[in-house]
Amino acid sequence: MRWYLALCGLFMLVFSLCALAGPGRIDIADGQTRYAVACSLLEHGDSIVRDNSAWMDVFIGRNGEHYAWYRLPQSLLGIPAILAADATAAPEVRSTPDRREMRRQFFFSLTSPFCGAVLAVCYAVWFRQLGCPVRASMLWAFAGIVCTPSWYYSTSSFDDILGTAGVVLAVTAACLGRDRAPLAGAAVAGLALAWSFNCKEPLGIFVLPVLAAFYRPNSCGIRRSAPLAIVILLLAGGCAAHFAYEWYKFPPGTTNPSEQFTRLYGPIWTANPLPALAGLTVSASAGVFFYCPTMYLAIRGWWACMRSSEWMPLKDSAPLFCKLLALACGVFTLFFCFLTFFKGDPAWGPRYLTPVFAVGWLFVPAAVSRVRDFVFRAVLSLGVIVQLLGLSVDPIRLFFSTPIHFGYYHENPWLGFNPQLSHLMQRPREITECLQMRDSQLEFSPAPLPTAADNLNFSQAIFFAQIIGYSMDPAGREPLHLLTHNQASVQLSMPETYKLIARNYRVFNSLRPWWISQRTLPAQRRPVNHTAALCFFIGLGLVGVLMIRLYRKEPASFAYLAPATPPGSGP
């Protein structure tokens, strides 16, 4: 029982930490669209986008209505978040449309901390199965969040952490359930993979290590094939649901979303993956080891597991599991190298590789005996520092202050090697500038509400569109892309105009956590009572720590943190 209490405590601790580190608002236009879908699902029972402020990837589909070219999982998670916001709101908040909307959007932003907490619990279960003592499992699980980009994306309205949590849950369920309850484990793994596929289709490739985990070379017949069949059938069902939903929104004879996206934002695909491969490897804008230093430990641990199955809960299929997991990570990474926007800007580091970083963390404890203590400590510390830098300032700020548009890769995909476009290298300067800002009269953000995604209002969009030489879209749903999707040479010739945008809004001139950035807002413009919310999240985290500490004290050393040999079977 204490093990399950400790898992609950870990969930509460990570959830509260990510909630406190987040911006308390929808921080990206993608999230605004998915929030609009969640509202429609709850209030109207369909996924029509009725909010004109939600413009990103919104196209005309079935019956001439506006639909989002996005997947459904984050919108589904948003429904209980919105219900919780309404259920806990004071009567005066529920009766005021703007205040009710701000509260809903704040709660919607908590869907990512929720998934980050689920990811931490999956880590703890994995490390316990690996043979780590209970509190060591908790420490490794907590470090798996704060030492990797999972921390940042557990605070962002991007949906990458949703698919990441699904992949790690699938792997954990497969390894834990293969011996104890293979059919139940296969059902959980298959559903988690179906969820992940509906977050991002390429995540389906992680079915390979899941199948390897269930593979039992010494068994035969239905005992060997049943779990594999369950996983494949559930994943196939998830794929079918995804394509059926896309067909429902955009049936033949209506808008082709891919063509519309290309018309508005430029090509999706490139035939030359070399800029992406180089950028994801060594550039300061998207380099793997710059934004996730712990990948070094992950690779060392993976190699240790390849050479010796004593580090894995899967004795008879450990080498196959490791090989197929590496293959899945490689194919997943290569897929995004053929995207023109391979980094996923505006983002902190290589956003699309968040699942690769997360599954890599599963192997980090195996590197304890392969790396000197001071190196291990240094890499973990560096990982925390990098993530703290990422959480400090909104990443969109860099593009307005440089200035350059988000789609610079269309004109020159090698610009990622320019240090001016590196969030990591420019972040100390940005933090300094934010701390030096003293003007408390700045408008909070270029959005209709402080909790809505950053945007420019309609009149500003027309003004800048005239300067650049574009005409407004009649539907009025793409105000920001007029500013951000133009030739870099045009934008770099008007630096003062772009820098003015960065200077005139507090969201670009303040540290990112909501309890800092929103402190200048009047009470009626705050999504929640700051004092009450801070007390709640801090108290929730402290209760989580106490629940974890129900286990007796154990020595804290790297020898203690390493998995036992042979691994135990868990509590």
Side-chain angles (χ1 to χ4, degrees):
M1 176 59 69
R2 287 189 300 172
W3 164 246
Y4 298 107
L5 287 176
L7 288 178
C8 291
L10 177 66
F11 180 93
M12 292 189 293
L13 173 61
V14 172
F15 176 78
S16 60
L17 176 68
C18 294
L20 288 170
R25 57 187 176 85
I26 300 173
D27 62 344
I28 196 67
D30 308 53
Q32 189 72 41
T33 300
R34 289 188 281 260
Y35 167 76
V37 173
C39 291
S40 288
L41 288 170
L42 179 62
E43 297 171 351
H44 302 279
D46 58 46
S47 59
I48 297 173
V49 178
R50 295 174 170 83
D51 182 1
N52 284 334
S53 66
W55 54 268
M56 185 69 185
D57 281 6
V58 176
F59 306 117
I60 296 176
R62 177 178 293 273
N63 298 328
E65 301 286 359
H66 286 95
Y67 286 91
W69 194 35
Y70 282 119
R71 283 76 55 188
L72 208 50
Q74 191 173 27
S75 297
L76 292 177
L77 272 185
I79 293 175
I82 294 171
L83 289 173
D86 291 346
T88 57
E92 61 270 19
V93 174
R94 286 197 295 267
S95 62
T96 309
D98 279 358
R99 295 185 68 183
R100 184 187 69 167
E101 189 71 4
M102 288 189 294
R103 184 177 181 85
R104 284 181 162 193
Q105 291 176 352
F106 180 91
F107 274 66
F108 180 82
S109 73
L110 298 179
T111 56
S112 292
F114 174 86
C115 291
V118 171
L119 176 61
V121 170
C122 292
Y123 280 147
V125 173
W126 169 272
F127 294 130
R128 182 61 177 146
Q129 176 72 4
L130 193 64
C132 292
V134 172
R135 291 184 60 191
S137 300
M138 298 292 157
L139 289 173
W140 281 121
F142 183 77
I145 302 299
V146 301
C147 295
T148 71
S150 294
W151 193 4
Y152 176 84
Y153 290 106
S154 293
T155 69
S156 172
S157 299
F158 279 121
D159 66 346
D160 297 84
I161 196 64
L162 278 73
T164 298
V167 167
V168 176
L169 173 59
V171 172
T172 303
C175 294
L176 183 65
R178 77 186 294 260
D179 294 320
R180 298 183 176 188
L183 298 183
V188 173
L191 290 172
L193 284 173
W195 168 273
S196 300
F197 182 89
N198 278 269
C199 293
K200 278 187 173 53
E201 296 92 325
L203 289 173
I205 192 65
F206 285 94
V207 70
L208 296 179
V210 170
L211 293 178
F214 278 113
Y215 177 67
R216 306 182 67 158
N218 298 324
S219 63
C220 59
I222 193 170
R223 184 174 176 83
R224 174 194 288 183
S225 60
L228 305 180
I230 290 174
V231 171
I232 293 172
L233 287 174
L234 288 174
L235 176 57
C239 297
H242 166 76
F243 291 114
Y245 179 57
E246 291 300 308
W247 180 88
Y248 172 81
K249 294 184 297 181
F250 305 105
T254 60
T255 302
N256 184 321
S258 179
E259 292 179 358
Q260 283 289 90
F261 185 96
T262 300
R263 181 181 70 83
L264 290 171
Y265 309 112
I268 298 175
W269 305 101
T270 177
N272 181 15
L274 292 181
L277 284 170
L280 294 175
T281 305
V282 295
S283 77
S285 294
V288 165
F289 296 102
F290 284 98
Y291 292 89
C292 188
T294 55
M295 276 302 289
Y296 165 73
L297 300 177
I299 293 171
R300 293 294 300 270
W302 174 84
W303 184 246
C305 293
M306 275 288 296
R307 299 182 64 183
S308 176
S309 61
E310 71 180 30
W311 298 101
M312 293 291 294
L314 310 170
K315 287 296 187 182
D316 49 2
S317 59
L320 178 63
F321 171 82
C322 292
K323 290 176 183 177
L324 290 182
L325 184 61
L327 176 62
C329 290
V331 171
F332 183 79
T333 302
L334 187 62
F335 172 89
F336 287 102
C337 290
F338 285 95
L339 287 182
T340 53
F341 43 93
F342 60 88
K343 181 178 181 287
D345 271 327
W348 176 250
R351 171 167 66 92
Y352 294 128
L353 299 190
T354 304
V356 176
F357 301 144
V359 296
W361 186 262
L362 298 174
F363 298 95
V364 169
V368 169
S369 61
R370 300 296 194 274
V371 178
R372 293 185 178 182
D373 277 5
F374 79 91
V375 174
F376 207 98
R377 295 173 188 273
V379 173
L380 292 180
S381 300
L382 189 59
V384 174
I385 292 170
V386 168
Q387 307 322 316
L388 287 173
L389 288 173
L391 293 164
S392 60
V393 178
D394 193 309
I396 296 178
R397 184 186 194 276
L398 179 65
F399 295 95
F400 284 136
S401 60
T402 301
I404 196 169
H405 64 102
F406 303 160
Y408 60 85
Y409 32 75
H410 289 300
E411 186 171 340
N412 185 353
W414 296 99
L415 276 178
F417 285 87
N418 188 326
Q420 286 186 294
L421 295 181
S422 168
H423 282 94
L424 185 61
M425 296 185 69
Q426 298 300 322
R427 187 50 51 91
R429 171 185 62 81
E430 292 183 300
I431 294 175
T432 302
E433 292 173 356
C434 289
L435 293 176
Q436 291 175 346
M437 176 59 66
R438 293 291 184 267
D439 187 357
S440 60
Q441 304 303 315
L442 293 179
E443 187 177 347
F444 183 76
S445 73
L449 295 174
T451 52
D454 297 334
N455 207 335
L456 295 170
N457 64 43
F458 194 77
S459 60
Q460 288 172 315
I462 294 176
F463 172 73
F464 285 110
Q466 291 172 342
I467 292 177
I468 299 171
Y470 278 73
S471 60
M472 279 298 298
D473 186 298
R477 285 182 173 271
E478 292 87 23
L480 188 59
H481 88 271
L482 296 172
L483 286 175
T484 58
H485 187 72
N486 301 290
Q487 289 186 355
S489 57
V490 174
Q491 294 187 351
L492 289 172
S493 69
M494 44 184 289
E496 289 307 314
T497 302
Y498 257 62
K499 290 181 180 179
L500 190 64
I501 299 172
R503 293 195 203 105
N504 281 357
Y505 296 104
R506 173 153 296 282
V507 72
F508 301 130
N509 292 279
S510 173
L511 298 182
R512 185 169 173 268
W514 55 271
W515 45 276
I516 298 177
S517 63
Q518 297 176 8
R519 70 185 187 281
T520 59
L521 290 172
Q524 65 272 20
R525 295 290 286 174
R526 295 180 179 182
V528 292
N529 182 298
H530 278 199
T531 302
L534 281 171
C535 291
F536 173 78
F537 288 120
I538 293 173
L540 187 69
L542 291 176
V543 171
V545 171
L546 291 175
M547 293 173 70
I548 294 172
R549 288 183 62 86
L550 286 176
Y551 269 84
R552 65 183 183 277
K553 292 185 177 180
E554 296 162 328
S557 67
F558 281 120
Y560 152 74
L561 292 174
T565 305
S569 59

